[in-house]
Amino acid sequence: MSRYHFMLIVSAIATLGSLYFSEVRGFIPCPLCWWQRLFMYTTAFYLIITLFRNRPVDALFVRLYVGIGWVVAAYHVVLERLPDGEALCTNGCLIQWVNYFGFLTIPMMSLIAFTLLLILAFYPNKQSA
């Protein structure tokens, strides 16, 4: 299994998790959540199509999408943690639909997923001797 297979697993779990929170639990995604979904869903679908068709993965594309998604997720988490974060995002970005263990909110879950993807995207390839 290559690092891209692990990236597919992480992005698929994150995609299914976001769909569970919105479609099953009925949580309404904010604009920042929609942007994070854009980059996560695109990564998941790209990896599914590319890996199952045995095509080479475009590392630049994957790194770009994962990197931008990470920046949006990090910004969302920072907004959550700021005392006056509501002043910067007035469209429901700071509603904490879940808060597991006192810190694990939906934006934090997204940031963790994007961080794992970013590590895997930049993980060096093994060189054959």
Side-chain angles (χ1 to χ4, degrees), residues 4-55:
Y4 296 115
H5 290 94
F6 290 115
M7 289 180 72
L8 173 60
I9 293 168
V10 171
S11 61
I13 290 171
T15 297
L16 293 174
S18 74
L19 289 172
Y20 168 76
F21 281 129
S22 64
E23 301 303 320
V24 176
R25 301 278 304 267
F27 301 156
I28 301 167
C30 73
L32 288 175
C33 291
W34 279 112
W35 280 104
Q36 291 167 69
R37 285 175 172 215
L38 170 77
F39 294 109
M40 185 63 72
Y41 291 11
T42 304
T43 302
F45 287 124
Y46 174 76
L47 289 172
I48 286 171
I49 292 168
T50 304
L51 292 175
F52 283 110
R53 294 183 76 197
N54 290 324
R55 305 281 180 169

Side-chain angles (χ1 to χ4, degrees), residues 39-102:
F39 294 109
M40 185 63 72
Y41 291 11
T42 304
T43 302
F45 287 124
Y46 174 76
L47 289 172
I48 286 171
I49 292 168
T50 304
L51 292 175
F52 283 110
R53 294 183 76 197
N54 290 324
R55 305 281 180 169
V57 174
D58 184 356
L60 178 63
F61 174 81
V62 172
R63 289 173 178 166
L64 182 66
Y65 264 70
V66 169
I68 294 171
W70 186 89
V71 169
V72 175
Y75 177 70
H76 199 173
V77 169
V78 168
L79 277 183
E80 260 189 341
R81 305 296 189 245
L82 286 176
D84 285 337
E86 192 66 43
L88 299 172
C89 184
T90 58
N91 295 327
C93 293
L94 301 182
I95 297 172
Q96 290 189 4
W97 296 101
V98 298
N99 191 342
Y100 303 124
F101 312 114

